[in-house]
């Protein structure tokens, strides 16, 4: 049993799994607090590292691609206070951190855990039911349906239709994007048969995020939904199983669609297509891609 206790949290390793418990330090982000203790099986790990610093060190876990729905849904965009796979280490515990790192690395070698991507999620995602309010709405998920409800800050054109209920079977994908600089973030659901609006403030299947404290909690909703969608590797496997002739035909169709996108852009710039017409036509092409 290897364990390191810090204000930032407690990491413990028993040879089969790591238990990551967030601390109560004010620098611990709201997402880590909401997640609570995470149990990461050894098979989900690709590696571990420890970096010393003048004031603090950092323990970092690297998970295998496709192992965690939270990492997939957020695309590596979680800031450090909210990243459950980083631990701040005080200088007087550098020796313990190095020992902890060696123990995990030795176990990875002994168990011959590969660092390659996986074809199924090895972590379950956040527990349900789940409801988060941030930005211009509230997103709730019970395992079968996503419900989006709007607040007084929502654009009229988006709120006019009222609350949205999305069946899990109709959701093709989900993404969480934090705000950056002057760009707002979003929690967006790609829904079968529904066009994707370029801006989340007008998209009835998206919650717009403005960079406030609770924004990272929307990543929990994204991860919960992602954990119950087909694994991302399934699409790659289906493509790899195509016959050579089918792959060649798909490549030709892909090139034709790219040419169509360029043509639409030229028509839009020339004023032949309005902004709305261009957006709708572009989304139709992108769906086929």
């Amino acid at each position: 049993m290897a364990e390191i206790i810090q204000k930032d949290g407690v990491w413990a390793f028993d040879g089969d799994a790591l238990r990551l418990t967030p601390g109560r330090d004010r620098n611990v982000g709201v997402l880590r607090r909401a997640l609570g203790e995470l149990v990461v099986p050894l098979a989900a790990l690709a590696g571990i590292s420890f970096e010393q610093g003048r004031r603090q060190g950092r323990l970092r876990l690297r998970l295998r691609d496709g192992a965690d729905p939270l990492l997939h849904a957020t695309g590596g965009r979680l800031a450090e206070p909210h990243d459950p796979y980083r631990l701040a280490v005080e200088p007087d515990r550098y020796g313990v951190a190095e020992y902890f790192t060696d123990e995990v690395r030795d176990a990875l070698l002994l168990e011959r855990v590969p660092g390659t991507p996986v074809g199924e999620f090895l972590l379950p995602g956040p527990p349900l039911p789940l409801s988060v309010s941030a930005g211009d709405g509230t997103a709730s998920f019970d395992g079968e349906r996503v419900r989006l409800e709007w607040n007084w800050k929502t654009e009229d054109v988006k709120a006019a239709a009222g609350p949205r209920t999305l069946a899990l079977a109709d959701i093709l994908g989900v993404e969480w994007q934090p705000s950056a600089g002057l760009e707002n973030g979003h929690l967006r659901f790609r829904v079968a048969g529904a066009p994707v609006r370029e801006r989340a403030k007008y998209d009835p299947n998206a919650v717009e995020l403005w960079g406030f404290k609770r924004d990272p909690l929307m990543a929990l909703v994204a991860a919960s939904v992602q954990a119950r969608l087909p694994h991302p590797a399934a699409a790659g496997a289906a493509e790899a199983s195509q016959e050579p002739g089918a792959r060649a035909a798909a490549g030709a169709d892909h090139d034709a669609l790219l040419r169509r996108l360029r043509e639409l852009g030229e028509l839009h710039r020339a004023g032949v297509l309005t902004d709305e017409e261009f957006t709708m036509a572009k989304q139709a092409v992108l769906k086929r891609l």
Side-chain angles (χ1 to χ4, degrees):
M1 178 74 163
E3 184 178 63
I4 179 166
I5 303 174
Q6 292 291 275
K7 291 185 297 182
D8 196 35
V10 177
W11 284 14
F13 177 56
D14 62 6
D16 296 318
L18 290 98
R19 292 185 177 273
L20 316 179
T21 306
R24 298 187 176 182
D25 187 71
R26 60 185 178 86
N27 293 323
V28 176
V30 293
L31 186 144
R32 284 180 62 196
R33 293 178 186 273
L35 273 176
E37 183 179 86
L38 280 181
V39 179
V40 183
L42 186 66
L45 283 186
I48 183 172
S49 64
F50 173 60
E51 305 160 3
Q52 294 189 15
R54 293 181 62 184
R55 295 186 178 181
Q56 277 188 332
R58 288 288 184 275
L59 267 172
R60 302 174 189 266
L61 293 181
R62 183 165 57 88
L63 272 62
R64 297 169 67 185
D65 288 345
D68 181 19
L70 175 64
L71 291 183
H72 183 81
T74 56
R77 294 182 289 264
L78 284 176
E80 184 162 341
H82 307 293
D83 188 341
Y85 303 117
R86 302 185 192 182
L87 183 72
V89 179
E90 300 298 323
D92 62 348
R93 290 293 182 269
Y94 282 2
V96 178
E98 290 172 347
Y99 169 75
F100 188 92
T101 301
D102 289 341
E103 287 291 294
V104 176
R105 284 176 175 167
D106 289 346
L108 288 171
L109 288 172
L110 287 172
E111 296 297 327
R112 298 181 180 180
V113 178
T116 53
V118 296
E120 61 179 344
F121 291 122
L122 301 180
L123 279 82
L128 296 175
L130 187 61
S131 182
V132 176
S133 296
D136 68 351
T138 297
S140 306
F141 182 51
D142 62 5
E144 297 180 357
R145 290 169 295 276
V146 170
R147 184 170 174 82
L148 302 177
E149 300 176 85
W150 313 117
N151 56 39
W152 65 272
K153 295 169 283 189
T154 309
E155 290 287 332
D156 290 344
V157 68
K158 179 173 166 180
R164 299 274 291 167
T165 299
L166 310 175
L168 183 63
D170 294 331
I171 297 176
L172 304 177
V174 58
E175 64 178 26
W176 172 83
Q177 174 76 50
S179 60
L182 298 178
E183 295 293 326
N184 291 336
H186 60 259
L187 169 68
R188 188 192 303 277
F189 299 94
R190 290 189 293 108
V191 180
V196 177
R197 304 288 177 88
E198 186 174 351
R199 301 181 65 182
K201 67 189 298 182
Y202 301 122
D203 190 340
N205 296 319
V207 176
E208 186 181 37
L209 305 174
W210 300 312
F212 296 149
K213 182 178 179 181
R214 291 181 61 82
D215 283 10
L217 293 179
M218 283 292 183
L220 298 178
V221 180
S224 295
V225 174
Q226 183 65 67
R228 288 158 181 84
L229 293 177
H231 191 274
E239 182 178 346
S241 67
Q242 288 181 333
E243 294 295 328
R247 288 198 295 269
D253 188 50
H254 183 273
D255 292 341
L257 292 172
L258 290 177
R259 287 196 298 272
R260 180 57 178 159
L261 279 176
R262 287 193 290 269
E263 292 170 359
L264 289 172
E266 292 170 0
L267 292 171
H268 182 237
R269 287 189 292 272
V272 177
L273 294 177
T274 66
D275 291 347
E276 184 177 357
E277 290 170 337
F278 171 67
T279 300
M280 292 180 63
K282 183 177 70 172
Q283 293 302 332
V285 175
L286 290 176
K287 281 184 182 180
R288 292 183 60 189
L289 277 172

